Every structure is written in C-alpha cells, then in structure tokens.
Amino acid sequence: ALNGERMTMGILPDRSELLGVIGGHVISSDAKAMAFFLGRAIVEAGYKLATGGCRGAGEFASRGAAKYCDAHALDVCEHVFAIVRWGDSPEFSQCRTVRAGKDDFERGMVMMGRTRSVFIVGGGGGTEREIMNAAVDDYMAWGTANILPVSGTGGIAERILAMGARYNDSVLDSPDVSLPKANLLVQSIDRYRFSLFDFWDLDIQEGWRCGDRHPAVRRTYRIRHYGKKQGEGPIRVEGE
C-alpha cells in the first residue's frame, strides 16, 4: 500500500535499484534513439528500468534495455518493468507488467514513489501530471524520484531545462543523441535536482498551506494521510 504505511515488496524491485523513463507517446526520432540508449545504459549500469507501459519514450527505453538483456543473457522480466493501471496492459511486449492504481493519478504516484530517479524524454500533459506527483510527494517529505530532463528530446523535458536549471555540463546540455550521454545521465542520478514547483509557477509554501485548492496536492495528501477514511487509497499494487 502507498498510504504512508510500511510496504511489503512484491514484483517491483527495491527503489534503490529502479530507474524510470517517462515522456511523450509521440516523440521525434532523436528522442526515440535517446530513450533507447537510456534503457540500455540503465541496465548496463546494474539498475532496473520502469516505464508507464505506453508507446513512445517508455517503449523505446524498454527496447534498449531488452536488447541489452538479450545480448548478455539477462532475464528481461527481471530487469524491465511496465507500471500500468489495473485492467490495462502495456503497449509493447519487452517488459514485465506490474498493475497499480485505479487511474493514472494513482499509477503515477506509484511510478514516481517507487523509483530512485526518472528521466524525462519529451512529454506532454500526462508526463506533467506525473512530475506533479513527484513535486508534491517530495515537498511532503515522503521521498520521491529525482527528475532528470533529457536535453534535445522536446516537450516537457525542454520546458524544465528552459527555466534556466540546466546541467552546466557540455554533454548533458547538448541536444545530441549518444550512448555516452545516456551513460552520463545514469551516472548523474544523485548529482542534480530541479525545482519542480517553479515549473507550475506555484509557490511551494502556498501550495502546502492552501493544498485544498490545488487538486494534485489535495488528492496526494488524502491518499497519504487518510486512505480509505476519505475514499482514497491505499493504492493497490500487484503482488503486494
């Protein structure tokens, strides 16, 4: 359960081992290639990959991870995970399915709360909601995935970087697509943090004090603190 109680680990690996890739469903060829390299780099570095199970960024990251697994006699189902809503299935086959949450909000909370870091490849409104889950959870001190937008992939990733919070690194700030860039991103997961609340022009203190007027803050708080008492949560995760 994801309601502040101690969780029993099931299918998903420990948070320290799990890195995510989220982003757009329709992305450029460069973004697809970068997602593919990220998936490979994640597994090659000894981590496991989690995606939302949709076409686009998650699909190509899973392809890259699965190809590396196949080449090195690793079990894809132990290294590549797709977190989808109950009743849904991933839009690609190179993964192990983990069902969690009755809607995208709850699934996003699981995705962002159970991963150590998440790479953003492009992205639109759905990606924005997942990042908001991370921002609220992070401020409420429950711990959340660190966000690393990938330069050159468009969408939400570029909007975050355009706020001026760049990496100040010639490789990471470059729009170029390369495996060395993917490897460096994975090596950098504990090195960078981005101020996510600034992304929505939402003052973090105001968001906390007046949470009942911000739907993401309100619902996250209800799930975390009240659970079934308020008709929210606990979030059901397959295998737990």
Side-chain angles (χ1 to χ4, degrees):
L2 258 168
N3 63 344
E5 298 175 359
R6 184 185 180 97
M7 293 181 292
T8 301
M9 301 304 293
I11 298 172
L12 283 175
D14 186 80
R15 182 174 180 268
S16 64
E17 301 177 83
L18 196 60
L19 304 184
V21 173
I22 63 173
H25 298 178
V26 179
I27 55 177
S28 68
S29 57
D30 280 355
K32 290 175 181 177
M34 199 64 229
F36 184 92
F37 284 144
L38 271 172
R40 169 182 167 158
I42 286 168
V43 177
E44 186 175 12
Y47 296 103
K48 315 291 177 66
L49 169 68
T51 76
C54 294
R55 68 187 188 280
E59 173 191 5
F60 280 86
S62 297
R63 286 187 188 183
K67 185 172 182 178
Y68 182 87
C69 287
D70 290 343
H72 292 81
L74 299 173
D75 187 347
V76 172
C77 289
E78 295 298 325
H79 290 82
V80 186
F81 298 85
I83 302 173
V84 300
R85 299 175 301 184
W86 282 97
D88 285 355
S89 296
E91 296 178 346
F92 48 87
S93 60
Q94 304 98 330
C95 61
R96 182 173 184 178
T97 304
V98 180
R99 294 177 174 85
K102 62 179 178 288
D103 55 25
D104 279 334
F105 189 94
E106 290 190 353
R107 185 201 59 76
M109 282 187 69
V110 175
M111 178 74 186
M112 306 311 276
R114 296 291 289 272
T115 43
R116 177 172 173 176
S117 294
V118 170
F119 301 99
I120 311 298
V121 177
T127 305
E128 187 169 335
R129 285 191 298 273
E130 287 183 304
I131 296 172
M132 191 64 181
N133 286 135
V136 173
D137 252 4
D138 194 34
Y139 181 66
M140 289 179 172
W142 286 309
T144 188
N146 186 22
I147 303 301
L148 288 93
V150 181
S151 180
T153 61
I156 301 302
E158 298 295 345
R159 286 176 57 194
I160 296 174
L161 291 168
M163 296 189 310
R166 304 194 71 84
Y167 292 102
N168 295 317
D169 180 281
S170 60
V171 175
L172 299 184
D173 287 329
S174 168
D176 294 345
V177 176
S178 71
L179 181 57
K181 178 180 172 181
N183 288 332
L184 185 56
L185 279 164
V186 173
Q187 294 164 17
S188 302
I189 57 175
D190 296 322
R191 199 174 301 165
Y192 299 98
R193 289 197 72 82
F194 291 85
S195 179
L196 298 178
F197 267 83
D198 292 342
F199 182 51
W200 289 270
D201 297 320
L202 173 67
D203 178 81
I204 203 164
Q205 293 294 336
E206 184 71 13
W208 174 246
R209 290 196 302 267
C210 303
D212 61 339
R213 285 182 282 170
H214 194 288
V217 176
R218 180 174 69 246
R219 189 171 178 197
T220 302
Y221 190 86
R222 286 206 307 261
I223 290 172
R224 291 295 193 184
H225 281 287
Y226 298 113
K228 292 180 180 178
K229 294 180 182 178
Q230 298 292 320
E232 295 276 9
I235 299 175
R236 189 162 63 102
V237 178
E238 188 173 358
E240 301 178 7

